Amino acid sequence: MVPVLILSFFQHALNSGIRRYHVAPVLCQRAKVAMSHFEPNEYINYEKLEKNINIVRKRLDRPLTLSEKIVYGHLDDPAKQEIERGKTYLRLRPDRVAMQDATAQMAMLQFISSGLPKVAVPSTIHCDHLIEAQSGGEKDLQRAKDINKEVYNFLATAGAKYGVGFWKPGSGIIHQIILENYSYPGVMLIGTDSHTPNGGGLGGICIGVGGADAVDVMAGIPWELKCPKVIGVKLTGKLSGWTSPKDVILKVAGILTVKGGTGAIIEYHGPGVDSISCTGMATICNMGAEIGATTSIFPYNERMKKYLGKTGRADIAALADEFKQHLVPDSGCQYDQVIEINLSELKPHINGPFTPDLAHPVSDIGTVAEKEGWPVDIRVGLIGSCTNSSYEDMGRSAAVAKQALAHGLKCKSKFTITPGSEQIRATIERDGYAKILREVGGLVLANACGPCIGQWDRKDIKKGEKNTIVTSYNRNFTGRNDANPETHAFVTSPEIVTALSIAGTLKFNPETDYLTGADGKKFKLEAPDADELPKLEFDPGQDTYQYPPKDGSGQHVDVSPTSQRLQLLEPFDKWDGKDLEDMLILIKVKGKCTTDHISAAGPWLKFRGHLDNISNNLLIGAINIENGKANSVRNALTQEFGPVPDTARYYKKMGVKWAVIGDENYGEGSSREHAALEPRHLGGRVIITKSFARIHETNLKKQGLLPLTFADPADYNKIHPVDKLSIVGLKDFAPGKPLKCIIKHPNGSQETIMLNHTFNESQIEWFQAGSALNRMKELQQKSS
């Protein structure tokens, strides 16, 4: 029998005339529960998960963490797969794929190149990255539809042809849509965005990947992942007052730093978990990307069950209850590292500027800012984004704003609100939160990423002007939000952003400080309180989903040969069987080099489907150690300094191979594979660093590049921008065997250093074939 809650939900939907979800008869059968409302014939398979877990548990003969249960539960061959945390590569079968519109362009272009007729697993495209914040939601959305018509048409028709669901512009941010509709306890989902781990708030293993990885899964090929370590975060106590779920991850980021989670899943557990809402858990998992974690996860509990019920998925909750022993960690399981946080003692935090792991208690930030010379006056406060745009987030922010309005105050800083989805937008409009936030001075933006990813037509400052903004976003690298390197961006919770925007200064601590009302009387803001879920059902708002037809074979997909936005891909050249000799150094990067430095977002997003055009942003944000400048490198053939992309194109034209030298955690940040495609397209062959961020290292391998690390990190100092490099021994390239690098200095002297790599046998085949996609085609030809 369908639970009363589901009947109530659908009755409400029918009576209201709003978006109608398809109710399949199979939902009435406990043995067959649909993965989502939108795919009534795709079912959750907990029985297979259970079977695989039991096979692995018997083999390993030890208690399993929750992360291990879900990851190993999706093994392609659980009986024979070699399993060793941090060492072996796992072959996995994820349940589904999600792609945001900026990365979906290249992913779908690669899938088209594969020649396959239809995706092998449920997949979706989400239009959220191409909407620029200018004047407000409706106008910005319409402008985006006009400007990006060609791209949206390509994604919609490609989705229809290849069986991919399409969420139209205005539907919301990919991660919020996934949480509302697709994530569930025990799912394994991969998404072409680094903040895909957001789905861990519903007990799923949700991992950010590059588009080439997504193509593997959509093609039905086992997906490879280095067996992750597991870092346990034990939560005790209880959240209260101004402390929010965001403060948990801000604190963890301060402890682990931006690379402390690399190669590991962060698994939250302990009695404190139950004091956090489901959407709060999603916030924590979302920002785990900023510490380099493979993903983050919480165990299935009543808060998740409550959220599933409110989002029309009580049937999934009921099924999860039956299999709960597989959706929580085993008693006595061992973690590779354990961090303990007492939520009762945790204080509100604010992290930044310029890096998300520079953690400060809110009570200290004003003093620290004055000492460091950071601007204390806040120019703009921004709430929302995929990290913090839940109903609870908006409610707590509105609770703060309401107090200010009661005393005649509005925000001293500019203030913007980004709803996470059409469902959130419609519900906060209905319940009055949006009205309160507007009245306090806020501008409600489109249901999209907006300023969080640099899609912000900011007018209140000039480029180069030193200023401070506070956001409830997840990432705050230099120039990230507005392309201004002098913007000091701080990340914190939405309620703290709201309070600071009302005060207009970093020197305000809402826990202790007073504001002066319009009547001249002082008052103190009370800690906000709000419902985690609406009392009524969610209002889904406008219908923004396009179902793929049962048969899309007759669908035509348009890519004009003269398009400046889209470009069909040409295969990369195969390895010629020789060592890479006398490579020039395009740039030796000094310090932090994120994917924003390698392939900037913002205005460049419009070229995400056109590899040659977007390659004009290659490494333009990276700092050249030779002169301390960005986008200025010496052309070794002409001795003239010029832009990085122009120099790379010149080398390619002259048939000269080149390399990049990087520092620690090279490629941290976004999952964008353009940061790997661009150097390959412009003739790069090798990227040598002290260490790599996980996703970027994999992306480089997928495109036929060699990501290598110094066996001795001090050897970074031996290489100079004017040197030539040779990588020798490639005929004997093998897993676990270092490669030799000969450094040739201009004075004729030479040095030899050793370089490590993490290639396995199949990844070496990608290199030899020229790319993973080339290798896929080779295998298809052999089997046909």
Side-chain angles (χ1 to χ4, degrees):
M1 182 176 180
V2 179
V4 173
L5 184 59
I6 291 197
L7 289 173
S8 170
F9 176 85
F10 287 114
Q11 190 63 49
H12 169 74
L14 292 169
N15 291 343
S16 304
I18 57 178
R19 184 199 306 166
R20 290 167 171 79
Y21 293 115
H22 178 72
V23 190
V26 294
L27 292 179
C28 302
Q29 304 173 23
R30 282 193 177 278
K32 286 190 173 183
V33 173
M35 291 171 67
S36 81
H37 300 301
F38 300 101
E39 293 138 356
N41 297 315
E42 299 285 350
Y43 308 118
I44 295 173
N45 194 345
Y46 281 148
E47 289 84 0
K48 183 178 180 181
L49 185 76
E50 180 177 55
K51 181 182 176 182
N52 287 1
I53 290 171
N54 289 338
I55 292 170
V56 172
R57 183 187 281 110
K58 185 176 180 181
R59 286 182 56 203
L60 300 182
D61 192 27
R62 61 172 173 80
L64 300 177
T65 65
L66 171 60
S67 307
E68 290 179 305
K69 287 183 180 183
I70 302 177
V71 172
Y72 304 161
H74 285 83
L75 285 170
D76 182 51
D77 187 354
K80 296 180 182 177
Q81 171 71 60
E82 188 179 354
I83 299 171
E84 187 176 354
R85 286 187 197 168
K87 293 190 176 180
T88 59
Y89 279 86
L90 307 179
R91 290 167 61 82
L92 300 162
R93 293 284 184 179
D95 297 303
R96 63 179 310 117
V97 172
M99 299 167 280
Q100 42 94 334
D101 50 354
T103 50
Q105 296 171 59
M106 196 58 67
M108 292 308 296
L109 286 165
Q110 289 178 87
F111 188 82
I112 290 169
S113 296
S114 76
L116 296 170
K118 191 174 182 179
V119 294
V121 301
S123 303
T124 51
I125 294 169
H126 304 259
C127 295
D128 61 1
H129 270 57
L130 302 179
I131 303 169
E132 185 181 54
Q134 280 191 339
S135 56
E138 290 186 12
K139 289 183 179 178
D140 293 346
L141 177 59
Q142 187 54 55
R143 180 172 176 269
K145 288 179 178 179
D146 294 339
I147 291 173
N148 302 305
K149 184 177 180 180
E150 179 186 13
V151 171
Y152 291 148
N153 178 64
F154 165 72
L155 293 174
T157 54
K161 185 173 184 65
Y162 297 105
V164 179
F166 180 69
W167 287 86
K168 302 172 187 176
S171 60
I173 305 170
I174 178 173
H175 312 303
Q176 185 68 31
I177 298 293
I178 289 171
L179 198 72
E180 292 172 355
N181 300 282
Y182 298 116
S183 186
Y184 59 83
V187 70
M188 174 172 274
L189 178 152
I190 68 164
T192 60
D193 189 278
S194 58
H195 293 109
T196 301
N198 190 82
L202 256 179
I205 288 289
C206 302
I207 302 176
V209 299
D213 278 355
V215 172
D216 280 354
V217 179
M218 291 191 293
I221 297 171
W223 172 61
E224 285 195 346
L225 176 72
K226 194 170 189 178
C227 187
K229 295 183 177 181
V230 186
I231 297 174
V233 179
K234 184 178 180 181
L235 302 179
T236 60
K238 186 178 181 180
L239 287 178
S240 63
W242 284 91
T243 306
S244 73
K246 185 68 164 282
D247 297 306
V248 176
I249 185 57
L250 294 175
K251 179 71 174 178
V252 171
I255 295 169
L256 288 176
T257 77
V258 291
K259 63 176 184 176
T262 303
I265 294 176
I266 312 298
E267 183 171 314
Y268 294 86
H269 62 283
V273 166
D274 291 336
S275 75
I276 304 173
S277 66
C278 178
T279 52
M281 290 186 260
T283 291
I284 294 167
C285 292
N286 177 294
M287 199 174 159
E290 308 327 316
I291 55 176
T294 300
T295 191
S296 301
I297 192 170
F298 279 82
Y300 177 60
N301 66 2
E302 288 297 314
R303 305 300 279 267
M304 295 183 191
K305 183 176 182 178
K306 188 176 180 182
Y307 183 80
L308 285 167
K310 205 66 171 178
T311 51
R313 295 176 288 169
D315 56 328
I316 294 179
L319 190 64
D321 284 342
E322 291 184 25
F323 289 85
K324 186 172 181 179
Q325 74 270 27
H326 303 303
L327 306 174
V328 296
D330 286 342
S331 177
C333 66
Q334 296 296 306
Y335 296 100
D336 294 285
Q337 179 182 349
V338 176
I339 297 167
E340 188 163 338
I341 296 176
N342 186 336
L343 300 179
S344 299
E345 297 174 357
L346 183 64
K347 290 292 185 180
H349 273 62
I350 183 168
N351 289 21
F354 306 124
T355 185
D357 59 353
L358 187 57
H360 321 271
V362 171
S363 57
D364 296 346
I365 189 60
T367 302
V368 173
E370 287 187 320
K371 180 182 176 182
E372 297 291 337
W374 303 332
V376 295
D377 291 338
I378 298 167
R379 298 294 289 268
V380 190
L382 306 99
I383 66 170
S385 86
C386 65
T387 317
N388 275 115
S389 58
S390 68
Y391 185 82
E392 181 183 35
D393 289 328
M394 296 297 161
R396 284 174 69 88
S397 298
V400 175
K402 194 172 182 179
Q403 294 178 62
L405 290 169
H407 290 84
L409 295 186
K410 291 190 174 185
C411 290
K412 287 186 178 179
S413 311
K414 290 182 180 293
F415 186 51
T416 70
I417 303 98
T418 304
S421 69
E422 170 62 9
Q423 180 164 280
I424 292 295
R425 183 208 63 78
T427 306
I428 65 171
E429 288 286 0
R430 181 196 69 193
D431 293 352
Y433 290 165
K435 182 174 183 290
I436 293 168
L437 294 170
R438 285 193 190 95
E439 288 176 349
V440 84
L443 174 66
V444 178
L445 301 175
N447 314 324
C449 301
C452 183
I453 61 162
Q455 284 283 47
W456 185 15
D457 186 19
R458 191 176 179 190
K459 302 290 190 184
D460 64 297
I461 60 158
K462 294 179 181 177
K463 190 166 183 177
E465 183 179 343
K466 199 173 179 179
N467 74 103
T468 283
I469 64 174
V470 291
T471 82
S472 69
Y473 302 163
N474 44 40
R475 197 166 277 164
N476 60 346
F477 301 135
T478 303
R480 165 79 177 182
N481 303 121
D482 61 1
N484 178 14
E486 290 300 322
T487 293
H488 294 56
F490 295 84
V491 291
T492 185
S493 68
E495 51 267 47
I496 293 293
V497 172
T498 306
L500 293 178
S501 299
I502 291 164
T505 176
L506 289 176
K507 296 167 71 174
F508 178 70
N509 177 10
E511 288 191 299
T512 58
D513 296 345
Y514 287 79
L515 294 168
T516 303
D519 58 3
K521 295 180 180 178
K522 292 187 177 295
F523 71 98
K524 193 156 81 80
L525 293 169
E526 294 180 4
D529 186 32
D531 294 331
E532 64 180 280
L533 296 165
K535 289 183 172 63
L536 300 174
E537 303 303 331
F538 276 110
D539 181 346
Q542 298 179 39
D543 187 351
T544 53
Y545 180 71
Q546 172 186 293
Y547 287 87
K550 288 184 178 180
D551 181 7
S553 58
Q555 177 70 52
H556 182 68
V557 180
D558 256 340
V559 178
S560 168
T562 59
S563 173
Q564 295 300 302
R565 299 288 301 272
L566 297 164
Q567 180 187 46
L568 292 173
L569 297 175
E570 294 292 331
F572 289 131
D573 59 310
K574 292 179 66 172
W575 175 54
D576 60 8
K578 301 176 182 177
D579 288 336
L580 297 169
E581 296 186 345
D582 294 332
M583 290 181 292
L584 299 179
I585 296 171
L586 178 66
I587 182 172
K588 182 179 180 182
V589 178
K590 178 183 178 182
K592 187 185 282 284
C593 191
T594 72
T595 47
D596 282 307
H597 295 90
I598 303 167
S599 176
W604 292 95
L605 285 168
K606 61 179 174 284
F607 296 126
R608 283 286 181 88
H610 197 294
L611 180 54
D612 194 57
N613 281 347
I614 200 169
S615 293
N616 289 322
N617 76 1
L618 175 65
L619 286 159
I620 61 175
I623 301 301
N624 180 8
I625 200 168
E626 186 174 6
N627 56 12
K629 295 180 180 180
N631 202 25
S632 175
V633 295
R634 182 194 301 271
N635 184 319
L637 301 180
T638 67
Q639 296 304 310
E640 297 176 355
F641 279 84
V644 182
D646 293 0
T647 307
R649 286 186 187 278
Y650 186 84
Y651 291 163
K652 181 179 180 181
K653 179 182 176 183
M654 301 303 291
V656 178
K657 298 179 176 66
W658 51 263
V660 170
I661 310 301
D663 211 313
E664 294 278 9
N665 209 29
Y666 184 90
E668 68 175 283
S670 165
S671 69
R672 65 191 68 145
E673 65 181 334
H674 299 78
L677 283 159
E678 292 174 34
R680 184 72 166 95
H681 175 64
L682 294 186
R685 285 296 185 268
V686 182
I687 313 292
I688 305 171
T689 71
K690 294 179 182 177
S691 64
F692 285 97
R694 174 191 64 84
I695 299 175
H696 186 59
E697 182 182 24
T698 301
N699 286 345
L700 291 168
K701 292 177 183 178
K702 288 274 185 178
Q703 303 308 334
L705 284 149
L706 286 176
L708 307 172
T709 56
F710 295 104
D712 180 357
D715 287 344
Y716 170 86
N717 297 315
K718 292 181 178 178
I719 298 177
H720 305 288
V722 292
D723 294 337
K724 292 183 179 180
L725 303 178
S726 295
I727 305 297
V728 298
L730 286 175
K731 289 183 179 179
D732 300 316
F733 191 13
K737 183 179 179 181
L739 290 168
K740 186 183 295 184
C741 175
I742 300 172
I743 307 167
K744 299 179 181 179
H745 302 300
N747 64 6
S749 64
Q750 295 186 6
E751 294 181 75
T752 299
I753 62 173
M754 300 306 294
L755 301 174
N756 294 332
H757 65 84
T758 61
F759 280 80
N760 61 26
E761 289 181 1
S762 61
Q763 292 170 344
I764 290 172
E765 291 173 352
W766 300 345
F767 167 73
Q768 293 168 340
S771 71
L773 190 59
N774 287 358
R775 181 58 182 158
M776 182 195 299
K777 289 181 179 178
E778 286 179 355
L779 294 173
Q780 285 174 359
Q781 289 168 0
K782 286 180 181 179
S783 63
S784 61

